[in-house]
């Protein structure tokens, strides 16, 4: 049983670890320590280490739509508000989109059209002129684009939001141990005998951190410390790229809605500080399985490719730009990277006790690429779990591996295309050198 003075060690100071620390501290837990391998927060290893992430409530499952609406309300509070930009959200498919992308768009639209909080701010877009009513800057042909505009959505500056939250919880007394040696958790230690209880965490410098409760919030890295998670929460990556704009170009695009073309990719208004225009291609993504079949981000396993994204993703982004902002379509991409997240077959999160740990280890994993927007409310669900002593929401329970193994990547309903493995991509890029 966890009490208010239990020693709680949170592994990982990313979006979910920070939110968990906030809610635990607000609920009266007084001895909270975050172990984070990066030298500073925000961590470059976090999936949310970025200038922006989409904040929206469209989901195929109303369950998440309602939670995202609650999160959006929290994004408008003094703690999170400075990082939230409600620019509105344009969602569309091109005339060449596969049926899967159109079906997803229609289901997601239905989830918010039914809700009176969103309905007045939604407008269907059927012609290029309709789209230009919301983004006059679209100068490309928008070939066959159909979709909608949703006023109640936008983006958050995710790195800045994590920094702001970290500073806030540090002032509340949450402790942090940072760095590749002092902060990198390498092992959860368990009591001798068969209680299965965790007693401490060892960090890379060999130090032992005693713990009554260990909360793992390691994102894509989860299986490194809780190997059983590797069967159901798979490390997968998507590409991120940027175009460096001039001040005038940046000003030209200020205030544009976050734009998500479901069969190509998405982009945001440029970052006024760096003048970077961020784009992400949409697709299945790539895994990095080791000999044991468990996918983890490269690090120990492969030299991480620097400033690299797959050719097919670059092509998708150039098509997206030709359709929307053709003047940018041949510009070099800068600060290209593969961004790793923790993926589940049904895109449901895992927020549960690790079986056999006697309630001493909690696994927060399976963000499935849609977990950042929940940062302002996520930690509440962890406190509820601790107070109830079990996970009552079936979607978030610890799950057992399915008979089909991990070959479900291409079947996820809201992603189109074919997935692959990182090693194939690196080989392909080397053979072109
Ligand atoms: C390309 C891309 C686009 C995305 N877009 C969106 C979006 O638009 N909207 C949205 O809501 N979500 C989006 N996401 C998902 C979002 O980023 C994640 O859901 C969110 O970051 C999950 O938070 P987390 O805390 O579980 O993991 P992370 O934020 O990845 O944090 C994990 C932390 O663990 C630390 N860590 C790792 N190993 C160790 C160790 N051994 N010891 C100590 N610390 C360690 C890392 O440094 C990191 O800080 C996107 C993800 C990607 C990859």
């Amino acid at each position: 049983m966890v009490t208010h003075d239990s020693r709680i060690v949170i592994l990982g100071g990313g979006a979910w670890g920070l939110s968990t620390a906030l809610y635990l501290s607000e609920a009266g837990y007084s001895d909270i320590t975050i172990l984070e391998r990066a030298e500073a927060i925000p961590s470059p290893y976090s999936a949310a280490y970025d200038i922006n992430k989409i904040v929206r409530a469209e989901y195929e499952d109303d369950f998440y739509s309602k939670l995202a609406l609650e999160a959006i309300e929290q994004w408008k509070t003094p703690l999170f508000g400075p990082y939230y930009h409600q620019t509105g959200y344009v969602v569309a498919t091109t005339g060449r989109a596969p049926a899967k992308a159109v079906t997803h768009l229609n289901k997601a639209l239905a989830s918010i059209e039914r809700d009176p909080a969103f309905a007045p701010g939604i407008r269907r877009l059927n012609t290029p002129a309709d789209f230009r009513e919301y983004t006059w800057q679209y100068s490309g042909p928008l070939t066959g684009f159909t979709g909608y505009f949703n006023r109640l959505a936008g983006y958050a500056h995710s790195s800045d939001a994590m920094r702001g939250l970290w500073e806030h919880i540090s002032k509340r007394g949450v402790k942090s141990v940072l760095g590749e040696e002092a902060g990198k958790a390498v092992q959860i230690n368990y009591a001798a005998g068969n209680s299965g209880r965790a007693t401490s965490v060892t960090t890379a410098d060999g130090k032992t951190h005693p713990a009554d409760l260990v909360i793992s919030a390691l994102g894509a890295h989860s299986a490194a410390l809780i190997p059983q998670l590797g069967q159901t929460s798979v490390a997968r990556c998507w590409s991120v790229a940027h175009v460096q704009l001039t001040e005038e170009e940046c000003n030209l695009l200020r205030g544009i809605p976050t734009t998500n073309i479901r069969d190509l990719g998405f982009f945001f208004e440029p970052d006024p500080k760096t003048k970077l225009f961020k784009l992400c291609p949409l697709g299945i993504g790539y895994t990095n399985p080791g000999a044991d079949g468990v996918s983890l981000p490269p690090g120990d396993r492969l030299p991480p490719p620097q400033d690299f994204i797959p050719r097919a993703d670059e092509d998708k982004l150039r098509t997206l730009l030709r359709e929307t902002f053709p003047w940018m379509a041949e510009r070099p991409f800068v600060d290209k990277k593969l961004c790793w997240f923790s993926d589940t077959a049904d895109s449901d999160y895992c927020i549960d006790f690790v079986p056999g740990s006697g309630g001493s280890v909690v696994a927060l994993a399976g963000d499935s690429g849609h977990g950042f927007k929940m940062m302002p409310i996520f930690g509440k669900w962890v406190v509820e779990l601790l107070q109830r002593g079990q996970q009552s929401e079936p979607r978030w329970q610890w799950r057992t591996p399915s008979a089909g193994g991990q070959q479900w990547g291409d079947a996820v309903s809201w992603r189109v295309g074919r997935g692959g493995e990182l090693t194939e991509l690196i080989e392909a890029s080397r053979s072109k050198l």
Side-chain angles (χ1 to χ4, degrees):
M1 180 66 190
V2 189
T3 61
H4 277 161
D5 46 12
S6 295
R7 296 161 301 178
I8 302 178
V9 174
I10 300 176
L11 312 182
W16 286 5
L18 294 170
S19 180
T20 299
L22 170 71
Y23 278 86
L24 287 172
S25 153
E26 286 182 344
Y29 296 92
S30 58
D31 190 350
I32 307 165
T33 304
I34 295 175
L35 299 180
E36 166 54 59
R37 70 181 284 195
E39 302 297 331
I41 290 176
S43 156
Y45 302 104
S46 162
Y49 186 74
D50 237 332
I51 52 177
N52 41 42
K53 294 284 183 204
I54 303 173
V55 176
R56 49 86 192 174
E58 289 88 330
Y59 273 96
E60 290 185 16
D61 183 348
D62 283 356
F63 171 78
Y64 286 103
S65 300
K66 290 195 169 51
L67 296 176
L69 177 59
E70 195 187 325
I72 289 172
E73 291 313 309
Q74 284 302 308
W75 275 111
K76 296 176 183 170
T77 57
L79 179 57
F80 295 104
Y83 315 108
Y84 177 56
H85 305 282
Q86 195 165 292
T87 51
Y89 190 36
V90 166
V91 187
T93 49
T94 71
R96 297 166 69 177
K100 191 179 175 192
V102 179
T103 305
H104 166 72
L105 183 148
N106 288 330
K107 282 189 188 165
L109 172 59
S111 75
I112 51 167
E113 262 184 333
R114 282 191 289 269
D115 191 318
F118 293 97
I122 296 172
R123 157 96 193 277
R124 288 191 183 242
L125 309 174
N126 298 313
T127 65
D130 289 347
F131 281 86
R132 289 194 184 101
E133 238 179 79
Y134 290 91
T135 316
W136 57 265
Q137 294 95 330
Y138 293 149
S139 52
L142 308 174
T143 315
F145 277 33
T146 51
Y148 64 91
F149 173 79
N150 167 17
R151 189 178 56 80
L152 188 45
Y155 73 93
H157 193 306
S158 46
S159 283
D160 284 357
M162 289 195 291
R163 183 181 297 108
L165 179 53
W166 181 55
E167 287 169 359
H168 175 79
I169 59 176
S170 300
K171 284 188 202 131
R172 291 187 60 91
V174 172
K175 294 164 273 182
S176 303
V177 182
L178 307 177
E180 280 299 337
E181 292 296 315
K184 184 175 181 183
V186 293
Q187 188 172 297
I188 302 173
N189 304 307
Y190 295 89
N194 51 14
S195 75
R197 289 195 64 80
T199 53
S200 63
V201 177
T202 304
T203 40
D205 57 1
K207 199 170 165 205
T208 299
H209 302 261
D212 302 306
L213 176 71
V214 176
I215 300 179
S216 169
L218 296 170
H221 306 258
S222 299
L225 270 89
I226 305 181
Q228 313 91 294
L229 263 181
Q231 302 303 316
T232 51
S233 300
V234 171
R236 191 182 299 279
C237 68
W238 285 320
S239 300
V240 176
H242 304 80
V243 175
Q244 182 65 65
L245 300 182
T246 64
E247 187 154 359
E248 286 71 25
E249 291 165 342
C250 177
N251 288 339
L252 172 74
L253 298 183
R254 287 287 287 278
I256 59 166
T258 299
T259 299
N260 191 340
I261 309 305
R262 299 292 325 169
D263 49 318
L264 291 176
F266 55 93
F267 54 74
F268 304 77
E269 77 165 327
D271 175 43
K273 201 146 88 188
T274 58
K275 301 178 183 53
L276 287 171
F277 178 79
K278 184 185 126 181
L279 307 107
C280 295
L282 277 165
I284 306 295
Y286 308 93
T287 55
N288 183 36
D292 53 2
V294 171
S295 175
L296 278 169
D300 304 336
R301 272 187 188 161
L302 274 174
Q306 300 298 318
D307 210 17
F308 163 85
I309 63 171
R311 184 58 202 260
D313 283 348
E314 288 219 24
D315 291 346
K316 241 185 228 176
L317 293 181
R318 296 210 180 279
T319 306
L320 176 63
L321 288 173
R322 274 193 287 275
E323 289 292 344
T324 51
F325 303 123
W327 55 269
M328 221 195 287
E330 305 310 324
R331 295 278 278 273
F333 289 133
V334 298
D335 194 11
K336 295 182 270 187
K337 61 177 181 178
L338 297 171
C339 174
W340 292 85
F341 61 102
S342 169
D343 204 23
T344 62
D346 48 17
S347 300
D348 281 325
Y349 308 152
C350 170
I351 307 174
D352 206 352
F353 294 103
V354 176
S357 71
S360 65
V361 183
V362 170
L364 310 178
D367 67 274
S368 301
H370 65 98
F372 177 75
K373 70 176 71 63
M374 305 294 188
M375 188 172 84
I377 59 170
F378 184 89
K380 190 174 67 167
W381 307 327
V382 183
V383 172
E384 285 168 2
L385 174 76
L386 297 182
Q387 289 172 349
R388 286 201 193 108
Q390 60 177 18
Q391 182 52 272
S392 51
E393 170 49 56
R395 289 175 180 82
W396 295 344
Q397 283 168 354
W398 180 272
R399 64 205 73 187
T400 46
S402 66
Q406 296 183 10
Q407 303 312 311
W408 42 263
D410 294 8
V412 175
S413 66
W414 52 285
R415 303 176 193 156
V416 295
R418 271 193 56 242
E421 288 183 11
L422 185 61
T423 39
E424 298 161 19
L425 298 176
I426 295 170
E427 284 313 314
S429 78
R430 284 201 181 116
S431 66
K432 291 202 181 77
L433 296 177

